[in-house]
Amino acid sequence: MTEERVIKLLKCLSDKSRLQIVKNLVKEPMYVELLAERLNLTPPTVSFHLKKLMDSGLVTSEKEQYYMIYRVNREVFGNTLEELILSKVTENEAEMERELKYRNKIINSFFERGKLKSIPVQKEKRKIILNVLAEKFEYNREYKEKEVNLILADFHDDFCTLRKYMVEEDFFERGNSSYKRKEK
């Protein structure tokens, strides 16, 4: 479960009416009108709160004949508060997702129709772009300088600078006027 979902779940449970709905659904699955009657609320109010509970993942629904029956999602409900808050997987997934979004943002801002608009000045952004370019080269294969230039020229006119950065940033290993992609 992502950190955002945990926050949404906890916010959702901070409402008294929603907490009462969950308490009733723990006992047994119910439909809107029965919950409204038990909690002395109007059916539209109960429906509103059920939508919030479903969005947080705590409640599920399924249609049975004419009624929509709501029940507690035991998978989420079975987690302890400690498990929700201290989940290491949650932090790692969120970090990886943010990193991927950032990487894609950089790639989209520097590439246009498969061409590199400019070489990034900032080192970290440049590394992201160089990594994209490095993917065009095979591992364990030696490339002559001319081959490297031709491949890089497809992306940007200043292929010499790109090639230089590829060596400096350890994407390439240079020796005897040939280049070899390094494994990261």
Side-chain angles (χ1 to χ4, degrees):
M1 187 177 291
T2 65
E3 193 173 64
E4 290 175 12
R5 280 199 64 200
V6 171
I7 290 169
K8 198 173 195 177
L9 176 70
L10 295 174
K11 278 184 180 179
C12 191
L13 288 173
S14 68
D15 183 89
K16 183 181 177 184
S17 296
R18 290 185 205 130
L19 195 55
Q20 292 301 318
I21 290 170
V22 169
K23 284 181 185 179
N24 277 275
L25 292 178
V26 166
K27 295 174 191 170
E28 64 180 311
M30 294 185 201
Y31 54 94
V32 172
E33 290 77 12
L34 181 57
L35 279 165
E37 187 64 36
R38 284 193 179 176
L39 299 174
N40 197 26
L41 297 170
T42 64
T45 301
V46 171
S47 292
F48 169 80
H49 290 301
L50 282 168
K51 169 91 171 84
K52 296 281 186 188
L53 288 164
M54 287 178 62
D55 288 346
S56 73
L58 190 59
V59 170
T60 62
S61 67
E62 65 182 356
K63 192 165 180 99
E64 288 183 14
Q65 294 180 347
Y66 302 109
Y67 296 100
M68 192 63 86
I69 304 296
Y70 297 89
R71 54 181 44 88
V72 171
N73 181 352
R74 296 285 176 190
E75 186 178 308
V76 174
F77 196 73
N79 290 331
T80 65
L81 186 57
E82 183 178 14
E83 289 170 337
L84 289 175
I85 294 172
L86 299 178
S87 174
K88 295 291 182 205
V89 174
T90 299
E91 293 171 23
N92 291 339
E93 285 176 357
E95 286 173 14
M96 287 172 58
E97 189 174 314
R98 284 191 299 270
E99 191 175 313
L100 185 61
K101 280 182 183 178
Y102 175 74
R103 184 180 185 279
N104 289 335
K105 179 182 170 190
I106 298 304
I107 291 168
N108 290 334
S109 65
F110 280 94
F111 280 96
E112 187 174 285
R113 289 185 234 121
K115 290 278 194 183
L116 185 60
K117 293 191 278 187
S118 65
I119 300 171
V121 176
Q122 291 179 328
K123 187 174 184 173
E124 291 306 312
K125 290 180 180 180
R126 188 169 55 235
K127 276 184 173 180
I128 292 169
I129 297 304
L130 293 174
N131 191 45
V132 171
L133 296 176
E135 291 172 3
K136 305 303 176 192
F137 296 88
E138 297 174 28
Y139 289 109
N140 300 320
R141 178 180 164 203
E142 286 194 19
Y143 291 88
K144 296 291 178 197
E145 190 169 296
K146 190 174 183 178
E147 290 177 287
V148 172
N149 291 346
L150 284 172
I151 293 170
L152 293 176
D154 285 343
F155 296 97
H156 196 272
D157 292 338
D158 192 358
F159 52 84
C160 293
T161 302
L162 287 173
R163 187 184 66 238
K164 181 185 96 159
Y165 283 140
M166 299 282 280
V167 173
E168 285 177 6
E169 296 297 337
D170 281 335
F171 288 98
F172 281 150
E173 189 176 282
R174 185 175 181 200
N176 298 334
S177 71
S178 67
Y179 296 82
K180 193 173 182 181
R181 183 176 173 192
K182 283 180 134 182
E183 298 212 26
K184 292 270 183 182

